[in-house]
Amino acid sequence: MEGRRRSPCHGRRRWRAAETALMSRKVRELRRLVPGGTAVPADRLLLRTADYIVRLRARIELLRALSELAAVTTNHACCHVDASRL
């Protein structure tokens, strides 16, 4: 008895279903990570994600600058010699 022949589209449908499931999982993950992500549709979620990334990068740059400033201030304060105490 011969096996049933599958349609050439059968593999593509299975692949598309797997791709859709993967995209759904990624959208759920973004909704969890991005503030306010649960309240917007998927197309707006991508815009909100991009805005969130820009804000995070700006925050990182600010924190780096503050860290460098604190390091310079701390090093300067510990190495400063008060001439009146000599």
Side-chain angles (χ1 to χ4, degrees):
M1 183 173 204
E2 281 188 39
R4 239 174 92 181
R5 292 190 66 153
R6 291 186 177 165
S7 142
C9 295
H10 180 73
R12 280 185 245 146
R13 273 187 258 150
R14 193 177 339 163
W15 180 79
R16 189 169 292 151
E19 187 178 58
T20 301
L22 179 63
M23 284 297 285
S24 294
R25 190 171 62 210
K26 289 184 178 200
V27 167
R28 278 195 311 272
E29 186 68 15
L30 273 179
R31 287 189 190 285
R32 189 181 70 77
L33 292 172
V34 176
T38 57
V40 295
D43 59 335
R44 297 286 305 162
L45 177 63
L46 295 178
L47 291 173
R48 186 163 290 201
T49 301
D51 290 341
Y52 184 57
I53 290 169
V54 168
R55 287 193 316 267
L56 284 175
R57 284 184 175 167
R59 189 176 294 172
I60 287 168
E61 290 303 315
L62 174 65
L63 290 172
R64 280 185 181 149
L66 289 172
S67 174
E68 289 173 10
L69 180 63
V72 168
T73 304
T74 302
N75 288 340
H76 182 68
C78 76
C79 299
H80 180 70
V81 176
D82 186 2
S84 65
R85 293 183 165 209
L86 294 176

